[in-house]
Amino acid sequence: MVENPVGKVALLGVPFDDNSSFERGAALAPNKIRDVLNHGSLNGATELGVNLRESKQWLDAGDVDISSSDNFIDKIEQRCDQLLAQNTRLLTLGGDHSISYPILKSYRKFFDKITILHIDAHSDLYDSFKGNRYSNACPFARVMEDGLCDRLVQVGIRTLNLHQNEQIEKFKVESLEMRHWPLAQPLVFQHPVYLSLDIDGIDPAFAPGVSHREPGGLTSREVIHLIHQINTPLVGADIVEFNPNKDIDNMTAQLAAKLVKEVAGKMLMGL
């Protein structure tokens, strides 16, 4: 288990969307986001004062090569194991949300205590969806079954049905629905945090490039504020479900790149 601060934060791409329950396209996101980060209008500075382009602790670890959906869990978990064992924390770009499960399988080997902050329009707690237990609608059911975190806090949720409410009760998930927004008090964490950020947690007015547009979501600023306000070390993150095929004038690509910067900056400050 990791006890001492680690030395680096790596951007890791997972161009995989075989478990998308609606429309494909999220596999195109890692390259699109990298293109905006490296060749777009953004500079390297984050709002918290970290300059990614000047940091020797920030690197790009390339993409996970997944040959088929049959081995996606093993491939992702093994690559995460390799990097975490080298004292490198991960900011992973999906891809669909199914990738979070193998990432967290790896993280649990290295962290005794971990809290997941999950920003999403959907709870992703289905036991199975369309016959697929590894659908992008199911990763947090698998996470909770396997005991991969000590606490799961979900923000932005606005699509709950009876089954999902039953799963929330079963797994003792803290589901903070958008109908109760804003939060009565800031989130407070006791353990290191892993952030799983589904782009459709943000309102489609800000992020139209998603497969599941769900009006009534968070603003870009509200999500950035949630990231900045994390009060314990942010030790890992994934940004998932951006679908470039659905984007309008690169609006979502620009937002995803901005979120990468702010998440990376927050992670680097905790090293």
Side-chain angles (χ1 to χ4, degrees):
M1 296 292 176
V2 172
E3 296 179 353
N4 300 314
V6 298
K8 296 183 183 299
V9 175
L11 191 68
L12 178 66
V14 184
F16 177 78
D17 61 10
D18 286 15
N19 287 314
S20 294
S21 59
F22 186 45
E23 294 177 316
R24 298 286 183 90
L28 303 173
N31 281 343
K32 188 67 176 179
I33 296 169
R34 282 188 177 103
D35 188 57
V36 175
L37 283 169
N38 298 325
H39 307 293
S41 62
L42 303 179
N43 64 24
T46 75
E47 293 185 12
L48 295 177
V50 177
N51 193 318
L52 299 182
R53 294 180 185 172
E54 295 176 358
S55 175
K56 295 180 180 179
Q57 295 172 292
W58 169 244
L59 61 103
D60 193 327
D63 290 342
V64 179
D65 182 17
I66 302 173
S67 56
S68 76
S69 58
D70 293 335
N71 65 359
F72 88 99
I73 293 175
D74 290 343
K75 286 286 190 178
I76 296 170
E77 184 179 0
Q78 289 166 7
R79 182 58 176 144
C80 292
D81 285 352
Q82 291 171 353
L83 290 165
L84 288 169
Q86 296 168 7
N87 293 330
T88 300
R89 294 176 179 174
L90 307 176
L91 199 177
T92 307
L93 303 180
D96 69 52
H97 218 150
S98 69
I99 72 167
S100 298
Y101 172 54
I103 296 169
L104 286 160
K105 279 171 64 71
S106 179
Y107 259 82
R108 195 52 157 172
K109 301 170 191 175
F110 293 85
F111 290 89
D112 283 319
K113 298 289 185 179
I114 197 162
T115 292
I116 299 172
L117 173 59
H118 171 205
I119 298 174
D120 203 327
H122 315 90
S123 68
D124 292 351
L125 282 165
Y126 278 101
D127 182 64
S128 179
F129 194 78
K130 296 182 179 179
N132 181 7
R133 285 173 55 81
Y134 299 107
S135 164
N136 67 341
C138 304
F140 291 99
R142 306 289 82 80
V143 165
M144 299 309 284
E145 285 172 350
D146 288 4
L148 302 183
C149 68
D150 300 277
R151 180 185 179 196
L152 173 57
V153 180
Q154 300 185 324
V155 179
I157 307 300
R158 50 194 189 274
T159 58
L160 293 180
N161 60 21
L162 177 60
H163 172 65
Q164 292 164 330
N165 275 311
E166 290 172 344
Q167 293 285 83
I168 285 169
E169 183 175 353
K170 174 183 176 181
F171 294 121
K172 297 179 172 57
V173 176
E174 297 171 51
S175 182
L176 307 175
E177 297 179 61
M178 280 305 297
R179 65 194 177 100
H180 300 309
W181 188 264
L183 301 178
Q185 55 190 12
L187 294 173
V188 177
F189 304 105
Q190 289 75 43
H191 305 311
V193 169
Y194 180 95
L195 171 67
S196 187
L197 204 175
D198 187 322
I199 292 292
D200 70 31
I202 302 166
D203 194 273
F206 302 89
V210 295
S211 298
H212 301 267
R213 291 177 184 157
E214 187 66 37
L218 296 156
T219 69
S220 329
R221 176 47 55 187
E222 287 169 335
V223 171
I224 293 168
H225 185 68
L226 283 168
I227 294 165
H228 288 173
Q229 292 301 306
I230 294 171
N231 67 301
T232 57
L234 180 59
V235 296
D238 59 63
I239 297 175
V240 297
E241 297 289 350
F242 164 40
N243 185 344
N245 291 337
K246 305 289 289 184
D247 207 1
I248 299 172
D249 196 29
N250 285 334
M251 285 176 59
T252 317
Q254 292 283 341
L255 175 56
K258 168 72 172 179
L259 293 171
V260 167
K261 288 176 54 180
E262 297 308 316
V263 171
K266 184 71 173 179
M267 291 176 69
L268 287 163
M269 290 178 68
L271 295 180

